Amino acid sequence: MEIVWQTPAHPAQKQDFIFHNGKRHVRPYYFEFVSHVNKRWEGKTIVDLFAQEFRGRSRDYYESAVKCGRIQVDGENVPVSYIVKRCQKISHFLHRHEPPVMAWDVDILQNEPDVLTVCKPASVPVHPCGQYRKNTVLGILQAEYGLAPLYPIHRLDRLVSGLLIMAKNPAKADIFRQHIEAGLLQKQYVAKVAGVFPEGEQVVDANVDYNAREGRSTAEVGISNGDTTLKGKAACTKFTRISTDGTHSIVLCEPITGRTHQIRVHLQFTGHPIANDMLYLSDNVVDRSTLGTTADRAAALSGSSPETSCENHNEEYKYCSEDFIIDPMCTHCPSLAPNGYDGHEEGLWLHCVRYSGPEWVYECPYPDWASVS
């Protein structure tokens, strides 16, 4: 069988997806990853480069990949002792496995000549990132509706659901960008939090410091002086309780700024974190750089051997060769999901409901969980 190597230019298609046990899987496919030698890589052997910079696979794998042409330099096969030079093109040909997402639809809310709005399901990233390429909002819209290119004008984290606004052309995207930079946007989210949230408007004005290594933010208050410096960025969020049942509260969240995990960490700061947010329900969270097997950490853990990985995988992620091609060099096969994926895909109780700007408003229906009386 002749292998067809895909690149980012290849569009997602309907037949790329497999639906199983409430999850949307991507049929594994052959993909060419391309990078260029930078100053830090220059002078290393091709195997040392991969073993040191891309630790998700073993050194033995990289040696085999170079020998059989799965790793090339400037489109040519090279020996394992080859020393790379600045700006050379490095190609790594892989059998790519994407993590599954929940099989909820990406519902189209408004389809205008220049703007598309959708209700993004939780667990689905907006655009290609990390291990996700086709299992994204942009990939699904392209595969199921032929809608491309699209230009998202704001962010929603992978585990957050709700309103997502996309421009259909660069000119409209630029108009939205100007509104954002001028501070003309108003944003509203709804969250389900632990405990009885106070009545009346609550304003949290606390810096947000995001730690990329841990994958979480902290809220900081105080005044910077000669002895102490606040590391985070200025952030402000307004909160208003909508309802409560004595155990949980539904809260309207209006972020004035847009920092990473701002709403989540500011709700934790109030003493009322999102009720299913395991990252912020406690201050004592284990460093995710050393522990954690969610899809977000799968890439860091994918260096385990195929044999060990398959023993630990749930049977629902194993498929026969009729479902997809088993690649003999792939460190994920015969599993459908990538190594390290633990199958847990619960979305956060945080949902974007409204964005407004100069003479425009877009809204999204409330989720089912936002009903507490």
Side-chain angles (χ1 to χ4, degrees):
M1 183 203 71
E2 182 181 356
I3 294 177
V4 176
W5 296 102
Q6 297 188 28
T7 69
H10 283 78
Q13 299 179 337
K14 280 187 177 182
Q15 61 266 31
D16 292 337
F17 298 103
I18 299 173
F19 294 89
H20 182 72
N21 283 0
K23 304 278 182 69
R24 178 193 291 266
H25 297 261
V26 174
R27 201 180 305 275
Y29 54 98
Y30 288 99
F31 189 80
E32 179 186 5
F33 284 93
V34 175
S35 55
H36 291 83
V37 178
N38 57 32
K39 184 177 180 180
R40 189 177 72 250
W41 296 359
E42 186 178 17
K44 294 182 178 181
T45 68
I46 187 68
V47 172
D48 284 344
L49 188 162
F50 274 90
Q52 294 170 14
E53 301 290 339
F54 304 97
R55 300 181 181 181
R57 290 174 171 80
S58 68
R59 185 181 185 88
D60 288 344
Y61 165 82
Y62 289 126
E63 288 182 356
S64 297
V66 171
K67 289 176 181 177
C68 74
R70 288 285 181 97
I71 293 177
Q72 297 180 350
V73 179
D74 288 335
E76 301 290 340
N77 292 354
V78 296
V80 294
S81 59
Y82 183 84
I83 296 176
V84 301
K85 303 176 184 65
R86 189 76 174 271
C87 298
Q88 284 184 311
K89 174 188 172 183
I90 308 293
S91 296
H92 187 190
F93 300 93
L94 279 174
H95 194 232
R96 187 166 182 173
H97 292 237
E98 295 192 27
V101 298
M102 297 306 297
W104 296 315
D105 292 333
V106 179
D107 292 326
I108 294 177
L109 301 174
Q110 289 181 271
N111 192 352
E112 301 174 351
D114 293 326
V115 178
L116 179 77
T117 69
V118 302
C119 183
K120 180 186 108 55
S123 85
V124 184
V126 173
H127 50 71
C129 57
Q131 289 188 304
Y132 299 90
R133 189 173 79 89
K134 298 181 181 183
N135 241 354
T136 61
V137 172
L138 295 185
I140 293 167
L141 289 173
Q142 185 174 37
E144 297 188 349
Y145 300 100
L147 291 167
L150 295 170
Y151 305 87
I153 66 106
H154 64 101
R155 260 186 346 201
L156 281 184
D157 288 344
R158 188 178 71 84
L159 296 180
V160 177
S161 59
L163 176 67
L164 179 64
I165 306 171
M166 291 165 284
K168 290 185 177 181
N169 54 69
K172 189 65 176 181
D174 190 58
I175 292 173
F176 280 123
R177 180 189 59 78
Q178 293 176 34
H179 292 171
I180 293 170
E181 291 178 353
L184 301 177
L185 266 62
Q186 291 80 48
K187 302 165 281 186
Q188 292 185 347
Y189 293 71
V190 64
K192 184 175 183 177
V193 306
V196 178
F197 198 84
E199 291 184 308
E201 183 178 84
Q202 308 293 316
V203 179
V204 175
D205 196 349
N207 284 21
V208 171
D209 181 29
Y210 179 69
N211 185 318
R213 184 171 182 269
E214 295 183 359
R216 68 194 302 259
S217 294
T218 53
E220 303 175 320
V221 292
I223 301 174
S224 297
N225 54 45
D227 298 323
T228 61
T229 302
L230 296 180
K231 294 184 292 184
K233 297 179 179 180
C236 181
T237 313
K238 298 178 181 179
F239 299 107
T240 306
R241 190 179 84 189
I242 298 173
S243 62
T244 184
D245 62 1
T247 302
H248 298 109
S249 300
I250 302 300
V251 177
L252 181 67
C253 314
E254 299 177 275
I256 307 304
T257 51
R259 310 304 183 197
T260 302
H261 295 186
Q262 176 177 317
I263 295 174
R264 297 165 68 179
V265 72
H266 275 182
L267 282 169
Q268 181 197 48
F269 185 81
T270 69
H272 300 276
I274 295 171
N276 70 341
D277 190 350
M278 301 310 296
L279 196 59
Y280 292 101
L281 276 171
S282 170
D283 287 326
N284 301 317
V285 177
V286 176
D287 186 342
R288 293 194 308 169
S289 65
T290 58
L291 178 64
T293 54
T294 63
D296 289 332
R297 302 303 302 171
L301 299 175
S302 62
S304 57
S305 70
E307 293 77 17
T308 302
S309 170
C310 290
E311 289 173 4
N312 293 334
H313 261 293
N314 188 301
E315 286 297 319
E316 71 170 291
Y317 302 118
K318 290 185 180 179
Y319 282 73
C320 67
S321 58
E322 295 178 359
D323 296 290
F324 66 92
I325 298 168
I326 303 296
D327 182 77
M329 284 198 64
C330 181
T331 56
H332 301 299
C333 285
S335 296
L336 180 56
N339 296 339
Y341 177 75
D342 69 352
H344 184 71
E345 283 297 319
E346 181 181 15
L348 287 177
W349 286 335
L350 179 62
H351 185 88
C352 182
V353 293
R354 190 175 192 268
Y355 260 67
S356 61
E359 300 182 353
W360 59 265
V361 176
Y362 294 107
E363 296 180 322
C364 182
Y366 276 46
D368 292 340
W369 51 256
S371 177
V372 172
S373 56

